[in-house]
Amino acid sequence: MEVGVATALVGALFAPALARTAYQMSVDADTPARGTCRHCGERLPSGRVRFTLWTGRCHYCRTHLGPRVWLSAIVAALATFAVGFRVGNDPVLLTFMVFALACVPLAFIDLAVRRLPNQLTYPLAALGVSGLFTAAYLSREFTPFLRGLIGAALAGGLFMALAYARPDGEGMGLGDAKLAGILGLFLAWLGWSELGLGLLAGTSAAAAFGVYMLRTGRMSRRSALTYGPFLIMGAFLAILIG
C-alpha cells in the first residue's frame, strides 16, 4: 500500500505535463502537434519547464485548453497507484510507471479526436519491450517477458482482426489494435488472468456504454464509439484486482 501511495503522488505531479501533451496532440492524423491556442491563435509558452507549469488555460485569452489539470492529476494518480500497489518494490516498477503515465494522455486524446497517435504508442511499445526485457534479465526470469510478448501478439492480433473486419471507421481502429498490443504486453507480464480480465472488462464497459447511449438516443447505430479509454480502464482494473 505504501508503494501505491508514493507512486500515486508521483503520478499526480506529472499532471500538468500530461494535460499539455494531451492538448497538443489532440489533432487530426498527419497534422503536427498543436503549438498555439485553438481559440485566439496565441503561441503556447515554449520550453520543457513550461510543461510542469501548465495550468490548462491560454495565458493570453484565458480559455481552457485540453483536459483539466486536476482531472489529469486524478487519473494519473489512480493509474500509478494501481501499478505501485500491484508491482511493489520490484525493479520493473519504473517501466510500469511510465506505462501508466503514458496511458493518461492517450485516453484523453482518444476522447478528444478518436485517434491514438503513433508518436505515443510506438515509443511506449518500444519502452515496454526494452524495460520488461531488462527486468527479466536482471531477475534471470524470462517467463513473464515471454508471456508478455505472447499476450501482446494475442491481444494486438485480435483487435487487428476486428479492425479489418469492419474498416468503416465505426468499429475498432488500427490505433485500438496497437493499444491492445501494448496493454496485452503489460497485462500478460503479470499473468494470463490479468490479460483476460483486462480485455473482458474493457470491451464489456465499452459495450455497456454503447448500449446505454443507444437507448438514451445520444448515439445512433452508425455512430462511432471510442474504445481506447475503456480498454485502458479495463487494463488498470485488472492490474489492481487481478
Side-chain angles (χ1 to χ4, degrees), residues 78-151:
L78 290 173
T80 50
F81 172 81
V83 299
F85 178 78
R86 178 61 189 277
V87 177
N89 290 317
D90 192 283
V92 80
L93 176 61
L94 180 60
T95 302
F96 269 84
M97 279 285 291
V98 176
F99 160 68
L101 292 173
C103 283
V104 177
L106 281 172
F108 283 120
I109 293 168
D110 203 17
L111 283 172
V113 293
R114 293 199 69 246
R115 60 182 294 262
L116 296 159
N118 293 334
Q119 297 95 318
L120 290 179
T121 55
Y122 286 165
L124 180 57
L127 181 139
V129 172
S130 60
L132 296 180
F133 174 81
T134 301
Y137 177 79
L138 292 175
S139 65
R140 296 298 191 271
E141 177 56 66
F142 285 91
T143 300
F145 178 69
L146 295 176
R147 187 173 59 231
L149 292 180
I150 296 171

